Amino acid sequence: ADKKPPIKTADKKPPIKTAENINKIKEFLKDNKEATTSQISDFIKLSPRRTREILKEMLADGVIISNGKNKNRVYRLLR
């Protein structure tokens, strides 16, 4: 009877660490114009897999754009 409604994923705020990493990625892309996943993951000191997850979120939010496929993919900040 007293069930709480489930929290939708879209309503959740990103964890503080994720927000910090998003800001680091934005700074890195401002300085470097474009970068690969491995360059970004080296800079923010996260695994390439976790970095790709964050980049995917940023793409969905329209913060960045990507060019290329798989190994040749580069990311750029949207102005």
Side-chain angles (χ1 to χ4, degrees):
D2 278 346
K3 285 181 81 178
K4 290 182 185 175
I7 297 172
K8 293 183 188 127
T9 324
D11 295 341
K12 286 184 183 177
K13 288 182 188 156
I16 293 166
K17 278 274 190 212
T18 303
E20 284 175 13
N21 286 325
I22 287 172
N23 287 333
K24 285 181 188 175
I25 292 170
K26 284 181 187 175
E27 287 302 312
F28 185 72
L29 289 173
K30 270 183 201 166
D31 295 342
N32 296 286
K33 301 287 184 246
E34 65 179 33
T36 63
T37 303
S38 58
Q39 290 169 325
I40 294 168
S41 68
D42 287 346
F43 178 74
I44 61 176
K45 300 190 178 18
L46 283 180
S47 70
R49 180 179 177 167
R50 179 66 188 129
T51 302
R52 275 191 301 275
E53 288 174 18
I54 295 171
L55 289 168
K56 195 188 298 184
E57 284 178 38
M58 292 175 74
L59 278 167
D61 293 342
V63 178
I64 59 174
I65 56 171
S66 68
N67 260 347
K69 299 271 183 227
N70 300 327
K71 295 267 183 201
N72 297 319
R73 184 169 293 146
V74 291
Y75 296 93
R76 275 191 208 131
L77 213 49
L78 268 177
R79 292 282 174 253

